[in-house]
Amino acid sequence: NAGVTQTPKFRVLKTGQSMTLLCAQDMNHEYMYWYRQDPGMGLRLIHYSVGEGTTAKGEVPDGYNVSRLKKQNFLLGLESAAPSQTSVYFCASSKPPGTPRYFGPGTRLTVL
Amino acid sequence: AQKVTQAQTEISVVEKEDVTLDCVYETRDTTYYLFWYKQPPSGELVFLIRRNSFDEQNEISGRYSWNFQKSTSSFNFTITASQVVDSAVYFCALSEGMDSSYKLIFGSGTRLLVRP
């Protein structure tokens, strides 16, 4: 039982490049979330999903897209990375009604 | 508008001291949830507690206790007999509405350093 895993752990991108962050959970949770954490701040919700095939915008969705084709996976995409997207990204999952209880280890992304 | 304020940016205590981390929230909803999370130096987030707005009973879990006071819009967290392993950043968070408990608004966090 690995819990919530994130791939990759670290990444450096140049401005304008694209990439996809993968989140996987093996707890059969319905709800999954993507957050970003910037220095000196708490987490901010980017996008979330309440079930396979569904996604919704969170607090800071601009510049990101997501997909939930399989229940266990939640992908976060950056189509054209910008320096403002330099951050640590956390994925989380939970059962309904939805309190993010289980977090992945984070992905540290730097955009130059 | 909803807001969470953790005024203490950093706290340093000596092991075995008690320490209280403050959390003040703002919301117009009468129905909401409050949370505390721990982020140790390793970076992962650990869920500690969730409390709904209708339950003002204090909660105790081992050395941890939480004091929820609606009158002052506060949800403070106390660690009794602190230990070095308690060193971490602690986040308080708020979500409004019973159906939106996942849309958390986080405070900026309090860094706790427990010195041996």
Side-chain angles (χ1 to χ4, degrees), chain B residues 85-97:
Chain B
V85 293
D86 295 326
S87 295
V89 179
Y90 291 87
F91 292 98
C92 180
L94 162 75
S95 69
E96 293 176 332

Side-chain angles (χ1 to χ4, degrees), chain B residues 15-34:
Chain B
E15 205 170 19
K16 298 184 183 176
E17 284 185 20
D18 298 348
V19 58
T20 295
L21 309 181
D22 297 334
C23 173
V24 174
Y25 62 92
E26 294 176 29
T27 178
R28 293 178 183 168
D29 272 15
T30 56
T31 303
Y32 51 90
Y33 287 102
L34 295 163

Side-chain angles (χ1 to χ4, degrees), chain A residues 33 37 48 98-101, chain B residues 37 39 47 50 101-103:
Chain A
Y33 324 81
Q37 183 179 27
Y48 63 97
T99 289
R101 290 180 183 258
Chain B
Y37 290 86
Q39 188 174 39
F47 167 84
R50 181 181 81 169
S101 63
Y102 43 83
K103 294 182 182 177

Side-chain angles (χ1 to χ4, degrees), chain A residues 17 66-67 82 84 91 104:
Chain A
Q17 287 185 318
V66 288
S67 64
S84 61
C91 176

